[in-house]
Amino acid sequence: MKLELFYKDSCPFCQKVFRFIDKHELRDKIELLDIVKDDSAKKRLVDEGGMNQVPCLFVDGKPMYESSDIIAFLKSELL
């Protein structure tokens, strides 16, 4: 399963997801893509995900929005 998290540091909902990821030491299982520092990541988020909204977790290329949904998914699949 390929996991890619699109984020920006100033987003409080992204920080909520990062707190969960860090608490459970999951950073090595998720590719992190900063849409502020990486223009191609932002373009891909919009082109493939359909929205310019973060956090967005791509699970095998399919977008998942909403921090609570992302955390629930990570909890069920990785813990």
Side-chain angles (χ1 to χ4, degrees), residues 6-19:
F6 292 78
Y7 74 96
K8 63 181 177 181
D9 283 331
S10 62
C11 168
F13 298 103
C14 296
Q15 294 306 315
K16 175 182 172 184
V17 173
F18 276 124
R19 282 191 298 275

Side-chain angles (χ1 to χ4, degrees), residues 56-70:
C56 178
L57 180 68
F58 276 30
V59 180
D60 291 331
K62 295 179 183 172
M64 176 186 304
Y65 295 92
E66 304 300 329
S67 57
S68 296
D69 292 342
I70 292 169

Side-chain angles (χ1 to χ4, degrees), residues 22-58:
D22 290 341
K23 178 179 179 183
H24 297 285
E25 301 177 350
L26 300 175
R27 280 198 188 235
D28 62 333
K29 298 178 193 280
I30 304 166
E31 182 179 350
L32 304 176
L33 299 153
D34 185 337
I35 66 164
V36 173
K37 295 178 181 173
D38 184 347
D39 289 336
S40 64
K42 183 174 184 176
K43 182 178 182 340
R44 190 166 155 237
L45 171 66
V46 174
D47 290 350
E48 295 179 27
M51 294 192 288
N52 183 19
Q53 177 182 324
V54 289
C56 178
L57 180 68
F58 276 30

